[in-house]
Amino acid sequence: MRRGYVIEKEKDGKVILLTIGWLSAILAFGFFPFFLGAVAISMGVVLRRDYDVGKQGTGLIVIGIIGIVVGTVIGALAPW
């Protein structure tokens, strides 16, 4: 290694974070809305902050919030 050169590690895992985030956001509409919505929101924040995936990170945050609200309403109205 030469002096003056910095070797940057590439961040791996963007694809798995996107996959987990979108699955959580979609499933928050029907199952465990608070948990899965929070997972989607946190994945969106991490993707925006650390991986420079701005549009999809923002989308995950918005869909996570909507999933929490709509999933809770559906759960409250469901005649179990």
Side-chain angles (χ1 to χ4, degrees):
M1 183 168 76
R2 297 181 192 166
R3 288 187 165 200
Y5 292 98
V6 177
I7 300 173
E8 292 186 25
K9 292 184 179 180
E10 291 185 22
K11 291 186 178 181
D12 294 332
K14 181 170 54 174
V15 173
I16 192 69
L17 289 176
L18 283 169
T19 304
I20 292 171
W22 283 111
L23 283 174
S24 298
I26 292 169
L27 291 175
F29 287 95
F31 306 101
F32 307 112
F34 285 111
F35 176 72
L36 292 176
V39 170
I41 293 168
S42 62
M43 293 293 171
V45 169
V46 168
L47 285 166
R48 284 192 67 203
R49 184 187 62 205
D50 296 337
Y51 290 91
D52 296 327
V53 185
K55 289 184 180 181
Q56 289 192 8
T58 304
L60 279 173
I61 294 168
V62 170
I63 297 297
I65 292 170
I66 293 170
I68 289 173
V69 172
V70 172
T72 303
V73 169
I74 290 172
L77 296 177
W80 305 111

